Amino acid sequence: MDIMMLLDGGSLTEVYDEFKRVEAATGEGLPLEKFVHTMTSHISDEKLDRERLVMDLSELFQQIDVNGDGRLEWEEFTGFCLEAGMMATRGMAEPLGFKYEHKATYHDTTTTGSFIEDVTFVPELRRVYVCEGDCATVREYDGQLKLLRELNTDAPFGPGDEPESTEQAAAAAAAAPWRCRS
């Protein structure tokens, strides 16, 4: 695990990209040779003996390849790194009560439409207005993208949607072109 400390954050991103590139091309993880090549190209410490580095990386590969298929998937790699980090800090702090899982997909629970039709930012209000595929409503978000309210696009203002200022009235008017285009 000490060898992993030689990678900085930027290098880890590049290692991730290489894992994903190989996985997309072959449907499998990195073989030993590709893993060693990828890691050595991102570790730049002149004090290291290259032969020793290759031996250490080969040993690391064997430790990480938990399913024994001779290929290293990103999930195996990150799982090992996290567990090794937790073990290293076990004496210093309470172990975490959860295990990291990379989630490739994100589900936005505030949307209901099949797709987003349009997004507009109104800098004067620091508001974001979003119209989904059905265009029945326009969602108003604050600068931190917290949902504030939904505006009805069929009428200028629905009950409770009255603008509090001329700026909000202008923002609602900016949303008017989002009425259903079908």
Side-chain angles (χ1 to χ4, degrees), residues 6-165:
L6 298 174
L7 287 175
D8 62 25
S11 294
L12 190 58
T13 300
E14 292 171 8
V15 169
Y16 169 80
D17 291 342
E18 183 63 19
F19 266 90
K20 291 304 174 183
R21 187 187 68 71
V22 169
E23 287 176 8
T26 65
E28 300 178 313
L30 298 178
L32 173 62
E33 298 80 19
K34 186 69 175 169
F35 173 75
V36 170
H37 175 72
T38 299
M39 296 298 288
T40 56
S41 65
H42 294 290
I43 295 175
S44 60
D45 188 348
E46 293 79 30
K47 298 174 190 165
L48 289 175
D49 173 25
R50 286 311 237 192
E51 186 176 320
R52 181 70 190 165
L53 177 62
V54 169
M55 288 175 30
D56 289 346
L57 287 169
S58 297
E59 183 180 321
L60 181 64
F61 181 93
Q62 300 305 321
Q63 291 174 6
I64 297 174
D65 185 23
V66 293
N67 65 5
D69 65 353
R71 294 188 167 266
L72 200 57
E73 289 79 23
W74 179 251
E75 289 72 23
E76 287 177 308
F77 180 73
T78 55
F80 175 85
C81 292
L82 288 170
E83 289 191 26
M86 288 171 40
M87 293 295 287
T89 60
R90 179 161 269 147
M92 294 183 266
E94 286 291 314
L96 298 175
F98 57 88
K99 183 175 180 177
Y100 171 81
E101 286 185 29
H102 177 74
K103 203 165 200 166
T105 58
Y106 169 76
H107 177 69
D108 184 354
T109 58
T110 64
T111 63
T112 57
S114 58
F115 61 93
I116 292 179
E117 180 75 28
D118 207 347
V119 176
T120 297
F121 176 68
V122 180
E124 300 84 15
L125 300 175
R126 298 192 44 77
R127 297 283 191 266
V128 176
Y129 295 89
V130 177
C131 178
E132 293 184 12
D134 60 6
C135 294
T137 59
V138 174
R139 288 194 166 86
E140 180 181 31
Y141 296 86
D142 67 9
Q144 271 61 59
L145 297 180
K146 178 184 174 199
L147 179 63
L148 299 174
R149 62 185 173 162
E150 293 183 9
L151 301 169
N152 184 348
T153 60
D154 294 331
F157 300 104
D161 287 339
E162 293 80 16
E164 297 170 9
S165 65

